[in-house]
Amino acid sequence: MDPIEKLERKREAQRRLRAQRQRAGLLRGRVVAISLIAFVLLWGIVFAQMATGNDPVLGASTPTTRSGSAVAKEAIETTVPKELEPEANELEPIEEEPVEVEPEFEAEAEPEIEFEEPEPAPVTTSQS
């Protein structure tokens, strides 16, 4: 292989490497741009929902008046309708059963063994 052919192959390899780096740079730029656009778009949707009072985390919101009290959409009954109330004659009294008290369990006490740590020997150093 002569020097001219060697130089041509080297230039061709450099050109290919430069083209590969350029393609990789373009691909990275596109991925970053798409990621940023998606991030901004999703946060914009969340912000718009919260700004309009449609926060999905809080569930169904009730409109409020200027004084700040919630406006009831429907009157909710808190009492049981008379048709569903049981009559006093139908109820049977519940008898309380006596509770048996279990005797306390007394285990044989094992003698406690006291553990005495031996005192460590005094440490002497060259500085003391």
Side-chain angles (χ1 to χ4, degrees):
M1 185 184 312
D2 62 339
I4 295 174
E5 194 175 317
K6 195 174 190 179
L7 185 62
E8 286 178 10
R9 287 188 179 186
K10 191 173 183 179
R11 285 183 185 163
E12 180 67 22
Q14 288 175 351
R15 186 188 62 77
R16 287 181 185 169
L17 195 60
R18 210 174 317 127
Q20 184 179 5
R21 286 182 185 152
Q22 187 177 9
R23 286 191 303 267
L26 286 173
L27 182 61
R28 282 189 196 111
R30 289 177 186 157
V31 168
V32 168
I34 290 171
S35 299
L36 288 174
I37 290 171
F39 180 80
V40 169
L41 181 67
L42 290 174
W43 275 108
I45 291 170
V46 170
F47 177 75
Q49 283 182 340
M50 290 180 15
T52 59
N54 297 328
D55 191 355
V57 176
L58 299 177
S61 63
T62 57
T64 57
T65 61
R66 291 183 189 203
S67 64
S69 63
V71 176
K73 291 183 180 180
E74 297 177 13
I76 300 173
E77 291 184 25
T78 57
T79 60
V80 179
K82 291 184 179 180
E83 301 90 38
L84 299 177
E85 285 183 3
E87 294 183 19
N89 297 339
E90 295 177 5
L91 296 178
E92 295 180 12
I94 300 174
E95 296 179 18
E96 294 183 16
E97 296 181 10
V99 178
E100 294 181 21
V101 179
E102 294 184 18
E104 292 185 21
F105 177 73
E106 295 182 20
E108 293 181 20
E110 295 182 15
E112 292 185 24
I113 302 173
E114 293 184 23
F115 179 74
E116 295 180 15
E117 281 189 39
E119 290 190 27
V123 177
T124 56
T125 62
S126 62
Q127 295 179 356
S128 57

